[in-house]
Amino acid sequence: MVSQPDKIAWNIFDQRLHNLMMEFEDYHNAIEANAIVNADTIKELSMLTNIDESSLREIIKEVEEMVEGKRQDDFGRDFTGKPKLSAPYYAVKVTGALFHTQGGLVVNENARVMDKKGNTLPNLFAGGGSARGISGPADWGYMAGNGLLTATTFGRLAGSAAAKLIVEFS
Ligand SMILES: Cc1cc2nc3c(=O)[nH]c(=O)nc-3n(C[C@H](O)[C@H](O)[C@H](O)COP(=O)(O)OP(=O)(O)OC[C@H]3O[C@@H](n4cnc5c(N)ncnc54)[C@H](O)[C@@H]3O)c2cc1C
């Protein structure tokens, strides 16, 4: 997406996902900010998003073919058996940004960074986005709240452990 000329894309979804998203305050804020586009037809959606109508119809058809298992997604995603989009349609303009990281430096229970052999490195601590959390190495392991969870808890653990080290050396 960020390699596109304007670095933007449109996420297109339907009533089913709109209803699901209504449970989130962020989504209500997006509606209030007029960021969510709502259209009864593909033609109307193309006008509201300024996407060429035939291109829009083509991509919706391609995704339907992926749902039916007749086509592979260029990005390796698997849409097989997912519900097809149906009117009314919704869309939101999006861009790429760093949300959080998974993986990272391996730390022990005191947030001390370990080397490949499992030994602690001297005076080096990590937590939050720098340390490996509990979400696994890829997007499949994403757990809501884990970014802030590991930032705050490992921050405290690192602070306590570093303070103890100073006391030991003084
Ligand atoms: C839009 C968005 C929504 C999110 N929602 C959630 C959520 O709902 N739940 C959840 O758990 N996680 C969420 N996250 C992820 C979460 O915010 C991060 O995982 C978490 O903030 C990481 O904490 P951190 O302390 O490691 O890093 P950061 O919060 O990035 O803190 C690093 C700090 O270091 C400062 N800094 C950088 N370089 C230097 C320097 N050279 N000198 C001094 N200071 C420096 C930065 O300015 C920053 O303040 C969200 C992230 C984003 C972007």
Side-chain angles (χ1 to χ4, degrees):
M1 187 197 307
V2 289
S3 66
Q4 299 287 326
D6 294 329
K7 299 182 171 31
I8 66 114
W10 285 93
N11 269 354
I12 297 170
F13 49 104
D14 61 11
Q15 192 70 40
R16 182 181 69 88
L17 290 170
H18 169 80
N19 292 345
L20 183 75
M21 294 299 291
M22 287 300 279
E23 293 178 21
F24 296 91
E25 190 188 343
D26 293 4
Y27 190 66
H28 284 262
N29 294 341
I31 292 172
E32 276 170 35
N34 291 325
I36 310 293
V37 168
N38 177 214
D40 285 330
T41 61
I42 294 177
K43 188 181 181 65
E44 190 186 354
L45 186 65
S46 91
M47 287 191 301
L48 291 171
T49 56
N50 211 17
I51 303 172
D52 171 68
E53 188 183 337
S54 61
S55 303
L56 187 57
R57 287 189 187 281
E58 182 63 28
I59 190 71
I60 289 176
K61 187 166 157 272
E62 282 179 14
V63 175
E64 285 184 355
E65 287 171 2
M66 290 177 212
V67 169
E68 291 164 358
K70 292 179 187 165
R71 189 187 187 100
Q72 296 285 314
D73 174 43
D74 291 343
F75 299 102
R77 297 167 298 179
D78 183 7
F79 292 92
T80 323
K82 297 269 162 60
K84 288 182 186 173
L85 283 184
S86 58
Y89 301 99
Y90 294 80
V92 61
K93 197 189 277 185
V94 293
T95 190
L98 180 65
F99 179 54
H100 71 284
T101 53
Q102 292 181 202
L105 297 166
V106 178
V107 291
N108 70 6
E109 71 279 8
N110 293 317
R112 291 193 64 167
V113 178
M114 322 263 280
D115 66 16
K116 283 184 179 169
K117 291 182 181 159
N119 302 315
T120 51
L121 290 167
N123 305 323
L124 187 61
F125 297 83
S130 305
R132 183 188 289 183
I134 55 173
S135 292
D139 58 343
W140 54 257
Y142 173 70
M143 287 172 63
N146 191 43
L148 295 171
L149 173 81
T150 53
T152 51
T153 53
F154 275 120
R156 181 179 163 78
L157 290 167
S160 306
K164 272 190 200 142
L165 271 187
I166 291 170
V167 171
E168 280 169 20
F169 280 113
S170 59

